[in-house]
Amino acid sequence: MALSLVNLCAREVVSDHSSSTCWLRWVPRELYGALLQAAFASCRPLAVSELVNRWPERSLKVGGPRKPGQRAPNRLCIQALLLAVVRGLSDQRCALRILDLCGLQGDEGSMGDPMGGWSLTVALCTMVVQARAGAQKREGERERKRFSALERDKDEKRERGKTREVECDVGEGEIKEMIIDDKEKSEEEKMKGVRRKMEMERRTGSPVIMVEESQREKEGKDLDCGVLVRVRADLFVSARSWERVRVALSSNGPLKLQCRFLRVEEISVSSIKTLLGLLPHQVLLGVDVRYSNLGVSGLAQLLPLLSMFPDLHSLRLHYCNLDFHREDTGQSETLRELSQGLSQLKKLKCLSLTALRLPGHLRVLLSSLPQPLEVLEVPYLRLSPSDLAYLSCSHHASSLQQLDLSENRMDGGTMICMRRLLSNASATLQHLSLSGCGLTDDLLALLKPSLGSCSALKSLAFALNPLSMAGLLDLVRMAVKMPSLKQLLYPTPLEDYQPGLPDLPSSAQLLDWPLDESADISVTSSQLNQVLIDSGRSDLMLTCDLLNYDKDLVD
């Protein structure tokens, strides 16, 4: 990636970050952004601290989508940024009012020592609590100074009174005259005060009482009047950090923590409800609940709370112990409650349900959504033929941009529904995952015409399907004829496994079965690469690496 002249100069300037306090006073405000970007890229925490401490703009955004090859900011730089924000609260040179850290988190343990979402959330909460404690300390110091000034005034008045008693020797008549004069003066001052109030009412056109009431109403409407900086971030909350996050969200101080995407893991329903009750309604866009024992009743309690967030467009539930496979009493009533709760999510565009075991009930849940979905992820749901039949004809099919049907077993009876679904979604579908669906060579042959018609498809995941080498070559030949396709996750052919596999192995068997060490695995990749060379598709990436596959790389 070629750097501009401004970026090259900015890196040179921040290279000696220990002297940033000297040269920063001469830097125009238009160059602060380039210098901060260079400080993060070069890992210069001192320069980051000084730049943020004197930030000249009202808003600052750090994070967001990263370009290919671009690393997440270093942990030391993020810590320096957060400390500088707290110091800037008492620095008049800092004009910062909105700090946007959404998407700042990186992958723990990766190169460059980035700060992961869990660590970043704890650091943000610590920053909010420290800012509140600092504000309370400063307020206490001001109160002590004010009290000391009042005490000094009282002492001075007391001393003046004693001096007047000693020096003044006046008669009783003179004292009476002084008292009368004082009364007359006090009455005159009262009259002046009344006239002053009447004059204020005449000029403003409204009584002073009305002004006080309007001020009281304004204070009631704006509860965050003492907030100096609003911090927006993606919050990652676990059972260990829940209490700290709760304290930070409920604190009233100069920093106000706001959440764009909330991810919680291993937290009870009551704790999730408490967090939702503390979040601003206008900011939250997505909720991701993982490994929490919600149950059907717990989800029914959360959906009404989620409807309070008007801009919520993403809901993800992963391994939350929702099981409709068992025949329980009152199941139909619970389904209706869930359907009604989902119908209140007016802007929902992304729905992800992982391992919730909902065979035969997809229609009840999805038909109540007021808008068509753009992202639907339903892996490990044990979808029935009736589920696929509904999905292929639903109002969601023609709007889907991302579809994940992984680990839902398919056979010849479901191919008609799958072909209809892909045909209806052919103009919009960009990412498709059919990994672990039991698709053999024969099923692939039935599916190829519909797959090939997906003109907008960018990534296709087809791993852990029992394809032979001939079937794999057919898959790749189809892929090279799709101009929009940039990434293909293909399965290991059956010939590369050790003998003993069943005729129709499951995805778990394909994942655990050892490969044949005597076979030359490089022959497979060379044959696939030859197909790419013959077609001239150097822009299509072929991989069988499940762990490092990332569909977002092609966006």
Side-chain angles (χ1 to χ4, degrees), residues 421-459:
L421 174 59
L422 293 176
S423 297
N424 291 335
S426 60
T428 58
L429 192 60
Q430 299 179 16
H431 304 282
L432 175 63
S433 179
L434 296 174
S435 297
C437 292
L439 296 173
T440 61
D441 294 359
D442 295 336
L443 296 179
L444 175 62
L446 295 175
L447 207 57
K448 274 172 53 180
S450 300
L451 270 176
S453 67
C454 295
S455 58
L457 197 63
K458 296 180 180 180
S459 68

Side-chain angles (χ1 to χ4, degrees), residues 500-512:
L501 268 176
D503 295 336
L504 290 176
S506 65
S507 59
Q509 291 172 327
L510 292 174
L511 185 62
D512 296 334

